[in-house]
Amino acid sequence: MGTRFVRSVTGCLVAVAAGALLGVAPAAGCPGDCDRDGRVIVTELVQAVGIALGRMPVSECGCLDADASGTIVISELVAAVYGAVGECLPTLELEAPRAYATGDSPRSVTVADLDGDDWPDVATGNHLSHDVSVLLNDGSGSFLPETRFGVGMIPLGITAADFDGDGHLDLATANGGSDDVSILIGRGDGSFEEESRYSAGQEPRTILAANVDSNETVDLLVAAPATTGIVLLLGRGDGSFDRVVVGSGFRPWWIARDDVTGDEIPDIVSANAASSDLAILAGVSGGGFVGHSRIPLSAPGFSVAIGDFDGDGSADLVTGNGEDASVSLLIGEGGGSFAAPIDIAVGQGPYPVHVVDMNGDSFLDIVTANELSDDVSILLGRGDGRFANDRRFATGDSPYAVALEDVDRDGSLDVITAHGVDQVAVRLNGGCR
């Protein structure tokens, strides 16, 4: 079922009618089963459309109002359509956290297949023990005890990519205490060679792997809040790097990369907490970046993510406001211009922010790890630039970082958080309904 198809109310009705004609019966209690008879029929979807158009009260089919907002939106109709035709719809029902020991006070986490068995593994950058913990997936979504590998002082950011072109994933950390980046070359079995280091400005915090110069090697972009500029480590293809600083006039705390100007060339967006604004560096064909614009924020932004939340083809932005209990949403107007920020409530201390489709409805959602309220906020997108009120899930003390990945291969994204209490926690999503 394509994303364009499920966005159409008419398409919803056609799908359900087809399901009814074919005699497809969903499981009892599925979304849209207003009379709880174990099936969704066309008349129930007609009721739902009337509710969505404001012509019937929600009470006519209140079971469709999944987020209890008092209105029924297209994403909720999509859930009913899946139920009516007997298809699997990923849910957002997180199991209790499973805790795994790591090094001291992990501040960053990445999820990737580090041992080549096609199951996602976990790696954390451990702030106080100055090392990386690698936890290998046992093939069920559970993880084996950690193995540690030394890196620079105070690793605050971590990423995985193949830096030497051997087909095995490697790790890189941004080390805020030693002002450098550590490279750990992977052996393909979940173990790593001894680190090598590259200067990366003052107090590097965020690290991002990407190909920025179009030469088929993986490069690194580093945000260092005490440095006026973004550090580029240009990969040579053998696991070594050349250093370049892109002058910017701002102090980047977090960076994201995607096309926000609409020219199909990836750009850099920087969250600058000290100046409470965002900066856009426009990508240039063949590599390089040029200054584009600065966007004021209503609160200091400690992180930024990019996505199209309203389906208009223009990039939108969202920031995590770590000194506030909010994220700021900036709807794109095309050409790298954005509407004024709209603040949305989440938990306390949302430093990292991520954009993914958590519930499988083809609309982008927002996820934050909230350090001060010890939880994760998930804002489910409605596909029109609006979001349901945040759903919060307890994670354990001080979640500094979050990653979203299907670690148990059941078709739903799971939530992995790194905590200041020397552990990583995994909350498995409930899979399909």
Side-chain angles (χ1 to χ4, degrees), residues 16-260:
V16 175
L21 289 172
L22 293 172
V24 178
C30 69
D33 183 15
C34 297
D35 59 6
R36 305 300 185 188
D37 67 350
R39 61 197 182 99
V40 177
I41 58 175
V42 174
T43 55
E44 289 170 322
L45 261 294
V46 171
Q47 285 180 315
V49 172
I51 295 166
L53 294 175
R55 296 175 182 171
M56 292 182 183
V58 171
S59 60
E60 291 291 329
C61 193
C63 61
L64 277 168
D65 186 18
D67 59 6
S69 64
T71 61
I72 291 176
V73 296
I74 297 301
S75 60
E76 290 164 331
L77 296 185
V78 171
V81 171
Y82 271 92
V85 298
E87 293 292 333
C88 169
L89 178 68
T91 63
L92 181 57
E93 299 297 337
L94 302 184
E95 297 179 5
R98 303 178 185 179
Y100 299 89
T102 65
D104 294 349
S105 190
R107 293 293 184 98
S108 55
V109 61
T110 190
V111 182
D113 179 13
L114 301 176
D115 59 358
D117 65 354
D118 293 327
W119 285 86
D121 308 306
V122 170
T124 64
N126 303 320
H127 171 245
L128 296 181
S129 53
H130 316 306
D131 53 22
V132 163
S133 291
V134 173
L135 297 92
L136 298 180
N137 198 317
D138 68 359
S140 71
S142 296
F143 294 87
L144 301 175
E146 62 162 334
T147 304
R148 295 197 208 174
F149 303 90
V151 294
M153 294 181 63
I154 309 181
L156 298 174
I158 190 169
T159 190
D162 182 5
F163 301 127
D164 59 355
D166 66 353
H168 305 314
L169 287 182
D170 313 307
L171 293 172
T173 61
N175 306 317
S178 50
D179 297 339
D180 52 25
V181 162
S182 290
I183 304 297
L184 295 167
I185 297 299
R187 299 185 178 116
D189 59 359
S191 66
F192 295 84
E193 304 287 349
E194 186 175 349
E195 62 160 336
S196 57
R197 294 197 207 173
Y198 297 86
S199 174
Q202 294 179 285
E203 301 178 17
R205 174 171 292 273
T206 306
I207 188 165
L208 182 67
N211 181 2
V212 301
D213 54 4
S214 302
N215 66 352
E216 298 184 358
T217 62
V218 179
D219 311 307
L220 291 168
L221 299 91
V222 183
T227 299
T228 306
I230 293 173
V231 177
L232 297 183
L233 296 177
L234 300 178
R236 297 172 181 156
D238 59 359
S240 64
F241 295 83
D242 296 311
R243 179 175 179 269
V244 177
V245 177
V246 178
S248 58
F250 53 83
R251 297 183 181 277
W253 185 277
W254 189 287
I255 49 178
R257 183 173 181 264
D258 208 338
D259 175 22
V260 299

Side-chain angles (χ1 to χ4, degrees), residues 298-371:
S298 53
F302 287 84
S303 61
V304 63
I306 305 168
D308 182 4
F309 301 123
D310 56 2
D312 67 351
S314 295
D316 309 310
L317 304 175
V318 61
T319 65
N321 305 329
E323 295 179 351
D324 196 1
S326 70
V327 297
S328 294
L329 177 66
L330 296 88
I331 296 297
E333 299 175 332
S337 297
F338 297 86
I342 301 170
D343 293 342
I344 305 174
V346 293
Q348 291 282 345
Y351 284 97
V353 61
H354 297 275
V355 172
V356 293
D357 178 9
M358 281 298 300
N359 62 341
D361 63 358
S362 81
F363 303 137
L364 290 178
D365 311 312
I366 296 170
V367 182
T368 67
N370 307 316
E371 177 188 351

Side-chain angles (χ1 to χ4, degrees), residues 249-319:
F250 53 83
R251 297 183 181 277
W253 185 277
W254 189 287
I255 49 178
R257 183 173 181 264
D258 208 338
D259 175 22
V260 299
T261 59
D263 61 0
E264 300 184 359
I265 301 172
D267 312 302
I268 295 175
V269 181
S270 167
N272 313 312
S275 51
S276 294
D277 62 6
L278 298 175
I280 297 176
L281 293 175
V284 178
S285 179
F289 301 89
V290 296
H292 181 275
S293 60
R294 300 280 288 270
I295 304 169
L297 296 172
S298 53
F302 287 84
S303 61
V304 63
I306 305 168
D308 182 4
F309 301 123
D310 56 2
D312 67 351
S314 295
D316 309 310
L317 304 175
V318 61
T319 65

